Amino acid sequence: MTNTTEKNNGEVIIEVKGLKKNFGHLEVLKGIDLQIRKGEAVVVIGPSGSGKSTFLRCLNLLEKPTDGDILFHGESILGKNLKIDKYREKFGMVFQLFNLFDNLSVLDNVTIGPRKVKKESKEKAEERAAALLKRVGLGDKMDAYPSQLSGGQKQRVAIARTLAMEPEVILFDEATSALDPEMVGEVLQIMRKLAEDGMTMVVVTHEMGFAREVGDELVFMDGGYIVEQGNPREIMANPQHQRTKDFLSKML
């Protein structure tokens, strides 16, 4: 596993500067500044309504920021010349509610992106999909349909589908919050392995154990701001801001 010191000295691949997002008169993000380095697992925590999911959706332009900038490898993603589909290919996203195609088999759910977007051959896409499904412990479920799977299995298919696009960064938006408690562990285990393998990840979660053990950087958001950030173990042991202390006292 890459150690945290190496990661902290790594290349900054995403830089967020003064990011704001309004929905009408509602100001959800009020000026976010953050650097995300190659191979880092950045864990974002905070109360409901603090702007965590909106921040994630701005990173892959599912939401267009109102103000500020996002740099990817030093280039603004908000410029007029950006090919948005090409940019989005670099960002995988794993949603709370899986977003699988119910009418497609597990194998077809994983191959549809590479075949439609990257124009990969059926053979190549299926070969990689089979390897990825095996990697997430679902090699025997290729011919099943989503309705035949548990929530944890569906989320693991969603992760395999994301990996099939070979993204540089994966965004996880509360990927375990819709799961029964006994299924949470199997999904977190896959995410933990991805972090160990050096995948750059931004993870919005309420799983404090995962944040402490797997995160390289912890970001606590509240009211549209980053209130506190730093080493997860240090923040959880000794939060500096009263708002962080109040939140963690309820969560830990």
Side-chain angles (χ1 to χ4, degrees), residues 7 11 22 33 36 39 63 85-86 133 173 179 202 208 214 230 247:
K7 290 183 182 184
E11 172 200 359
N22 300 350
D33 296 289
I36 297 165
E63 298 290 354
D85 291 336
K86 282 288 173 202
L133 286 166
D173 191 7
L179 301 178
V202 186
M208 295 297 129
V214 180
F247 178 77

Side-chain angles (χ1 to χ4, degrees), residues 85-225:
D85 291 336
K86 282 288 173 202
Y87 170 72
R88 280 214 189 106
E89 281 180 35
K90 311 277 189 193
F91 279 72
M93 186 142 182
V94 178
F95 297 90
Q96 188 176 347
L97 295 173
F98 328 125
N99 289 20
L100 299 178
F101 295 104
D102 290 331
N103 60 323
L104 296 181
S105 70
V106 165
L107 183 66
D108 289 340
N109 262 287
V110 178
T111 59
I112 190 169
R115 290 182 64 193
K116 296 273 190 198
V117 178
K118 293 192 163 185
K119 308 300 181 197
E120 275 185 12
S121 69
K122 186 170 187 281
E123 293 73 25
K124 183 180 176 186
E126 288 189 350
E127 187 180 333
R128 176 148 11 87
L132 288 170
L133 286 166
K134 192 173 176 185
R135 182 174 168 187
V136 299
L138 293 171
D140 59 341
K141 298 289 185 185
M142 289 194 288
D143 297 327
Y145 283 80
S147 61
Q148 298 168 300
L149 303 178
S150 70
Q153 289 170 330
K154 287 178 189 176
Q155 197 59 291
R156 284 186 280 154
V157 172
I159 292 171
R161 178 185 60 184
T162 297
L163 290 170
M165 292 298 290
E166 301 182 308
E168 276 191 59
V169 181
I170 301 183
L171 311 174
F172 291 87
D173 191 7
E174 302 202 16
T176 59
S177 62
L179 301 178
D180 292 334
E182 67 267 23
M183 293 172 188
V184 169
E186 64 191 53
V187 174
L188 291 180
Q189 190 55 38
I190 303 292
M191 293 167 64
R192 182 190 305 267
K193 187 73 173 72
L194 287 174
E196 287 173 0
D197 291 345
M199 172 59 73
T200 307
M201 300 160 56
V202 186
V203 182
V204 169
T205 188
H206 290 296
E207 298 293 335
M208 295 297 129
F210 177 88
R212 183 195 291 111
E213 293 158 27
V214 180
D216 297 298
E217 185 82 359
L218 185 70
V219 174
F220 172 65
M221 287 182 65
D222 189 35
Y225 295 102

Side-chain angles (χ1 to χ4, degrees), residues 31-47:
I32 301 290
D33 296 289
L34 186 66
Q35 291 186 336
I36 297 165
R37 296 175 189 277
K38 185 176 178 61
E40 245 185 355
V42 177
V43 181
V44 184
I45 63 170

Side-chain angles (χ1 to χ4, degrees), residues 20-31 223-225:
K20 296 182 179 181
K21 176 62 183 176
N22 300 350
F23 294 97
H25 294 299
L26 180 65
E27 202 177 9
V28 177
L29 299 178
K30 300 174 183 176
Y225 295 102

Side-chain angles (χ1 to χ4, degrees), residues 220 222 227-228 238-247:
F220 172 65
D222 189 35
V227 175
E228 194 165 339
N238 187 25
Q240 298 301 300
H241 196 283
Q242 187 58 47
R243 188 67 195 89
T244 318
K245 291 177 186 174
D246 293 342
F247 178 77

Side-chain angles (χ1 to χ4, degrees), residues 47-59:
S48 296
S50 57
K52 306 183 302 292
S53 291
T54 300
F55 170 62
L56 221 54
R57 291 170 69 85
C58 284
L59 287 182

